[in-house]
Amino acid sequence: MAKMNPNFTKLKKNYLFIEISKRITDFTKANPDAAKNLIRMGIGDVTRPLVPAVVEAGKKAFDELAVKETFRGYEDSGRGYDFLREAISGYYKDFGAEVPADEIFVSDGAKSDSGNIGDIFADDSVVLVTDPAYPVYVDSSIMGGKTVVYASSDESNGFAAMPENFKGSQTPDIIYLCSPNNPTGSAYTREQLKSWVDYAAANKSIIIYDAAYEAFITESDKPRSIFTVEGARKVAIEIASLSKTAGFTGTRCGYTVVPKELTLESPDGETSLFDLWSRRQGSKFNGVSYPVQRAAEAVFTPEGQTQTRETLDYYRKNAEIMQETLTQLGIDFTGGNNSPYVWFKCPNGMDSWEFFDLMLSKANVVGTPGAGFGQNGINRFRLTSFNTHENTREAMERLKKLLLPL
Ligand SMILES: *Cc1c(COP(=O)(O)O)cnc(C)c1O
């Protein structure tokens, strides 16, 4: 009989979103009227539609595919058309990062790249992740047989783990960082990221930097790209996505930057990480659809930037509304400034599932229990700004009503 990959037995049950939807279904069945007022601020999916510049570009590209002269099939490189890679390179230049177009790999999103990148590292690699973290880093590392170690993100460091928060004795080969962070909403300053870059250089580790939320950054001391930090090209790759930046969660497009000077130890010395990733992608990936790449290109035009910024501002306003309420209630939180998430301490010593149930049953608001992201989330709760102003205000009124009499 064919045997399963035994590493899969080491995965934790992926019960977070399953358990959330089960509890919602149970509640809805028992309370059909209250269920009509349910406000969902749990799942990290955007809610505002694609902007007109993006939609027009995508439609136009589809029309080209309908005509013999302009039809396109497989893309030669599978790494993204030049027009899009040049546009991304120009976008980086706007916030001070030198990223040559030929170091950019266009992808179907940051989730697949952040999981697939493990393919090019040895199975016995030690992977450092922050706790809490986006679950993909942990699960994909475990599937590949790698060892996962943790650096604690907690109240002592504003939920932004630093190298000294890793207490283990192993030397990490791979370090996953996510800033602005999902789920904690914290964002590293340039100095903090420099500490990580120096740490990686000293330990000969590779940083996999997830910049999926870079577009939410407003504070100038928080870098939009790790490549604005000195020395980063020698230790880091960066993974980004148009999912949160431009509402591409359903359209699917992201990109990964691999500096050509990065190397990994190999049996005959050192091998270029860029070559390894090219080989991996060439074998298992055939590129992103042409219309989606044209739609993505439109995000980086002046018109696309103006339009997508309006959407980002809309979400920012929601984050502000949540921050105001949490401040009024005297609840400790991180996020909301450079992030669509607020991450706050569950009141009255509740754990995150208890508070989830209370919010669902008494306020009819759905959030995400922090426990789903790691040990350090067991008494924290995540709310997202991907909703309407009206719903966000209403949810905050209900939270106040729920907590003020306590
Ligand atoms: C949403 C998200 C992504 C984006 O994933 P896509 O596959 O591009 O949609 C990546 N990383 C984190 C931490 C995210 O929250």
Side-chain angles (χ1 to χ4, degrees):
M1 194 187 285
K3 284 191 192 142
M4 71 177 278
N5 175 346
N7 296 319
F8 277 61
T9 61
K10 296 182 223 153
L11 293 170
K12 286 218 186 78
K13 289 266 177 299
N14 181 12
Y15 75 105
L16 176 65
F17 288 101
I18 296 168
E19 182 63 24
I20 290 175
S21 68
K22 182 184 169 298
R23 291 189 192 204
I24 296 172
T25 309
D26 291 350
F27 173 77
T28 307
K29 271 192 199 133
N31 308 276
D33 285 335
K36 285 187 199 123
N37 300 321
L38 213 59
I39 300 177
R40 291 171 191 264
M41 300 168 81
I43 191 164
D45 198 356
V46 297
T47 52
R48 304 202 26 105
L50 294 172
V51 299
V54 166
V55 174
E56 280 156 30
K59 282 185 182 167
K60 193 165 151 266
F62 255 119
D63 286 340
E64 287 174 44
L65 298 184
V67 176
K68 188 162 164 275
E69 285 70 31
T70 49
F71 172 78
R72 299 185 188 224
Y74 286 126
E75 176 198 318
D76 289 340
S77 73
R79 286 172 39 200
Y81 286 105
D82 286 347
F83 63 77
L84 178 54
R85 293 192 290 134
E86 292 293 345
I88 294 166
S89 176
Y91 176 70
Y92 270 110
K93 203 165 270 151
D94 290 344
F95 49 82
E98 276 304 324
V99 171
D102 67 353
E103 293 184 344
I104 297 168
F105 294 76
V106 172
S107 74
D108 64 347
K111 184 176 186 173
S112 23
D113 279 5
S114 59
N116 292 336
I117 192 77
D119 279 9
I120 65 169
F121 292 89
D123 288 352
D124 63 358
S125 300
V126 174
V127 183
L128 178 61
V129 300
T130 63
D131 171 10
Y134 184 54
V136 177
Y137 316 148
V138 175
D139 286 356
S140 60
S141 298
I142 290 175
M143 286 175 188
K146 297 175 174 63
T147 302
V148 180
V149 295
Y150 295 91
S152 184
S153 289
D154 53 35
E155 278 161 33
S156 77
N157 51 34
F159 283 92
M162 295 302 296
E164 59 269 25
N165 300 120
F166 169 54
K167 305 292 186 199
S169 55
Q170 303 99 320
T171 302
D173 301 299
I174 302 166
I175 301 169
Y176 277 101
L177 297 178
C178 176
S179 178
N181 192 269
N182 178 13
T184 77
S186 62
Y188 287 121
T189 63
R190 187 161 280 104
E191 285 67 38
Q192 287 176 317
L193 262 191
K194 179 78 172 89
S195 301
W196 276 112
V197 166
D198 292 345
Y199 176 82
N203 290 287
K204 299 189 181 334
S205 335
I206 297 289
I207 293 175
I208 299 168
Y209 189 72
D210 185 339
Y213 296 94
E214 57 80 16
F216 284 85
I217 291 178
T218 49
E219 294 168 356
S220 59
D221 64 332
K222 312 284 189 318
R224 300 272 297 270
S225 163
I226 197 167
F227 298 120
T228 63
V229 176
E230 197 199 323
R233 284 184 56 85
K234 296 201 180 73
V235 297
I237 71 168
E238 179 163 295
I239 297 177
S241 167
L242 295 181
S243 282
K244 318 302 169 16
T245 305
F248 271 55
T249 48
T251 308
R252 312 300 309 140
C253 195
Y255 45 95
T256 289
V257 178
V258 183
K260 288 201 170 150
E261 55 255 59
L262 293 177
T263 57
L264 296 183
E265 187 187 311
S266 59
D268 50 3
E270 289 182 22
T271 296
S272 150
L273 198 155
F274 181 93
D275 289 349
L276 289 165
W277 184 240
S278 300
R279 186 74 174 83
R280 190 271 170 212
Q281 290 296 80
S283 297
K284 296 198 191 181
F285 186 63
N286 241 343
V288 174
S289 81
Y290 173 69
V292 167
Q293 291 197 53
R294 282 294 185 197
E297 178 191 25
V299 171
F300 302 106
T301 60
E303 198 190 7
Q305 284 292 296
T306 307
Q307 293 174 359
T308 50
R309 266 185 220 135
E310 264 172 45
T311 301
L312 291 168
D313 284 340
Y314 187 92
Y315 294 136
R316 282 192 187 105
K317 175 73 195 165
N318 290 341
E320 223 172 87
I321 293 167
M322 294 192 287
Q323 286 181 316
E324 272 165 25
T325 303
L326 293 171
T327 304
Q328 269 174 29
L329 291 169
I331 294 175
D332 182 59
F333 70 92
T334 52
N337 276 348
N338 302 288
S339 161
Y341 300 122
V342 292
W343 171 257
F344 60 93
K345 189 172 186 165
C346 301
N348 307 311
M350 273 181 265
D351 77 35
S352 66
W353 281 109
E354 273 178 274
F355 186 63
F356 174 89
D357 287 335
L358 182 74
M359 285 287 276
L360 176 62
S361 60
K362 296 291 189 304
N364 307 329
V365 173
V366 179
T368 312
F373 301 99
Q375 268 302 309
N376 286 328
I378 54 172
N379 54 22
R380 290 262 156 174
F381 204 66
R382 191 192 74 176
L383 288 179
T384 88
S385 58
F386 299 131
N387 215 309
T388 61
H389 294 334
E390 296 70 27
N391 278 348
T392 307
R393 282 201 189 92
E394 173 64 20
M396 291 301 104
E397 286 311 310
R398 293 184 199 172
L399 179 66
K400 277 190 230 170
K401 249 188 227 141
L402 183 67
L403 295 181
L404 283 176
L406 288 176

